[in-house]
């Protein structure tokens, strides 16, 4: 159990640090309203989670240690549903209902599509 916790924590720390870098150095907004950093990490993280979920099983014929490190840890630390939720609510509060809906739908559709593509490519 301690090994599992370390792998999740180590992967999560790396993912969180990369998310911080992406959100710090990427332009903050696309078209003045879409939070580009969070959007990017959620779609890229979905792709990586999909890819890793297939790659780990294919390469190692097991999922536990590597999926804890890569999917639960790294992808879990890299992506941020909580930030997505807050940003959508802030757009609603600002009266930007169209942008809020577009951002939410684009993230969901592209996130699921990216996960599918990652799994497909790993096969």
């Amino acid at each position: 159990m301690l090994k599992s916790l370390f792998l999740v924590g180590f992967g999560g720390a790396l993912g969180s640090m990369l998310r911080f870098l992406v959100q710090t150095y990427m332009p903050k907004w696309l078209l003045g309203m879409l939070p580009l950093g969070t959007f990017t990490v959620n779609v890229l993280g979905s792709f990586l989670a999909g890819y890793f979920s297939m790659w780990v099983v294919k390469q190692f014929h097991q999922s536990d240690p590597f999926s804890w490190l890569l999917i639960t840890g790294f992808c879990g630390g890299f992506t941020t549903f909580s930030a997505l939720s807050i940003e959508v609510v802030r757009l609603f509060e600002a009266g930007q209902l169209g942008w809020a809906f577009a951002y939410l739908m684009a993230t969901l559709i592209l996130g699921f599509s990216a996960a599918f593509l990652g799994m497909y490519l790993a096969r």
Side-chain angles (χ1 to χ4, degrees):
M1 180 61 130
L2 190 56
K3 177 184 175 183
S4 304
L5 288 174
F6 175 76
L7 290 170
V8 170
F10 182 70
L14 293 176
S16 294
M17 289 185 283
L18 183 58
R19 178 180 63 203
F20 171 79
L21 292 173
V22 169
Q23 290 182 315
T24 298
Y25 294 106
M26 178 168 268
K28 299 286 183 217
W29 302 98
L30 176 65
L31 303 173
M33 291 306 296
L34 182 67
L36 191 56
T38 303
F39 181 76
T40 300
V41 299
N42 283 333
V43 173
L44 181 58
S46 295
F47 170 79
L48 291 174
Y51 186 87
F52 290 153
S53 70
M54 298 305 295
W55 180 80
V56 166
V57 172
K58 185 175 166 184
Q59 293 297 316
F60 302 101
H61 306 290
Q62 64 176 352
S63 62
D64 292 343
F66 295 103
S67 67
W68 295 329
L69 173 70
L70 297 173
I71 300 167
T72 305
F74 181 79
C75 291
F78 183 59
T79 60
T80 172
F81 188 77
S82 58
L84 167 70
S85 300
I86 290 167
E87 290 168 346
V88 168
V89 169
R90 286 186 177 153
L91 288 169
F92 272 114
E93 289 177 343
Q96 301 294 326
L97 303 180
W99 279 110
F101 183 74
Y103 175 43
L104 181 60
M105 296 314 307
T107 299
L108 292 174
I109 291 168
L110 290 175
F112 285 119
S113 298
F116 175 78
L117 178 62
M119 293 173 80
Y120 177 78
L121 292 175
R123 287 186 180 144

